[in-house]
Amino acid sequence: MPLISCGLYVVVLVVTLVLELVGVPPGSLCDPHLNPCPTQAQLFAGLAYAPVGEELAYRIITPLGLVIPIRILWRRLITGQGPSISRFLSITGLSLLSPERAKRKTGYPTFTMNGWSGVHWLEWIFIVVSSVLFGLAHVESGGGTNWGAGKVVTAAISGFVIAIAFVAYGAYAAILLHWFFDVYFEISLVGSSIFGGLFSLLPFVFVLTSLIVGTLSILVVIGWVVRRITPRVSPTTYKTPEPEGLPVEA
């Protein structure tokens, strides 16, 4: 999870810089001239519980968390076969917490065993839809923030990765990954403002560590992709025949 979160942080940072260069700034959480900024304590408290509520609203208690029950109902409709009501309800509850475990319980292909082919096409649709809605929600009218159009892009990218983490690893992974962006850096800011001294270096240390780990993670992914798409030359077992000996004259 640290590799994914730090890698995503670097990607979001690069995309933010590119958007600013092309004139699409992401904006900011608040603007004193437009809306009052919360205190450090209020901001920390809000960011601490926001990931749980937002993951429930955009990933967990959504069609993305109900893909397995939907597939079971569709199979029952087509074939007339399916689990009992009690087992169906059990699978539904499990699917909301961990789609991967629900797939394993029902015999569907899983991400662990089948890789990307273990992610159903219906899940991909809901991943994209939830990511777009998650991005748009950050700039909704009357939301009390000063985020700009660029925030839609970066939030959608984050939402896309978080949604994949939910499908592959479960609700806890999505919440932890979301917490990384909302709470991880805020802790360093709160600590530096309260304690001062050496603690004032915490934001710098946190950012530097995330950049290093994230960059290494991206390089590893790039290397893995290059190895996957580069055709491998199979070693040949062909052996050059030795020249035949000339006949010996008597």
Side-chain angles (χ1 to χ4, degrees):
M1 193 57 64
L3 299 179
I4 298 175
S5 57
C6 292
L8 178 59
Y9 171 71
V10 172
V11 171
V12 169
L13 186 62
V14 171
V15 172
T16 300
L17 294 176
V18 172
L19 290 174
E20 289 181 345
L21 288 176
V22 298
V24 188
S28 59
L29 180 63
C30 61
D31 186 344
H33 301 289
L34 300 176
N35 55 327
C37 295
T39 64
Q40 199 76 49
Q42 291 173 331
L43 181 60
F44 180 77
L47 293 176
Y49 71 79
V52 178
E54 291 180 1
E55 289 310 306
L56 286 171
Y58 291 98
R59 250 78 62 176
I60 301 174
I61 310 179
T62 68
L64 181 59
L66 296 172
V67 170
I68 310 303
I70 292 173
R71 294 175 65 183
I72 293 176
L73 291 175
W74 179 256
R75 184 175 61 184
R76 179 186 290 273
L77 182 64
I78 298 299
T79 65
Q81 299 177 351
S84 63
I85 295 179
S86 60
R87 180 174 172 81
F88 174 76
L89 293 177
S90 174
I91 293 174
T92 300
L94 183 61
S95 179
L96 294 174
L97 296 176
S98 177
E100 181 78 353
R101 292 179 60 188
K103 291 177 185 178
R104 190 160 55 242
K105 192 172 183 179
T106 54
Y108 288 134
T110 63
F111 180 80
T112 303
M113 298 299 297
N114 304 93
W116 294 112
S117 60
V119 182
H120 194 259
W121 62 266
L122 192 58
E123 289 176 318
W124 282 117
I125 292 176
F126 290 140
I127 285 173
V128 173
V129 171
S130 66
S131 303
V132 173
L133 294 177
F134 184 68
L136 293 174
H138 283 75
V139 292
E140 62 178 343
S141 178
T145 63
N146 193 43
W147 294 122
K151 184 64 176 178
V152 177
V153 179
T154 56
I157 293 174
S158 300
F160 184 81
V161 177
I162 293 174
I164 292 177
F166 168 67
V167 171
Y169 302 108
Y172 83 94
I175 293 174
L176 286 177
L177 187 54
H178 200 149
W179 248 326
F180 172 81
F181 285 91
D182 283 10
V183 180
Y184 179 68
F185 294 105
E186 187 62 23
I187 288 177
S188 67
L189 294 174
V190 172
S192 63
S193 63
I194 293 177
F195 298 105
L198 291 177
F199 286 94
S200 60
L201 297 176
L202 281 178
F204 171 76
V205 173
F206 278 28
V207 170
L208 181 61
T209 303
S210 300
L211 288 175
I212 294 174
V213 176
T215 302
L216 292 176
S217 303
I218 293 174
L219 291 177
V220 170
V221 171
I222 293 175
W224 177 82
V225 171
V226 170
R227 290 188 61 183
R228 294 278 294 183
I229 64 178
T230 302
R232 296 183 180 181
V233 179
S234 301
T236 179
T237 57
Y238 177 75
K239 185 177 181 180
T240 305
E242 297 180 359
E244 297 181 0
L246 297 176
V248 179
E249 296 182 358

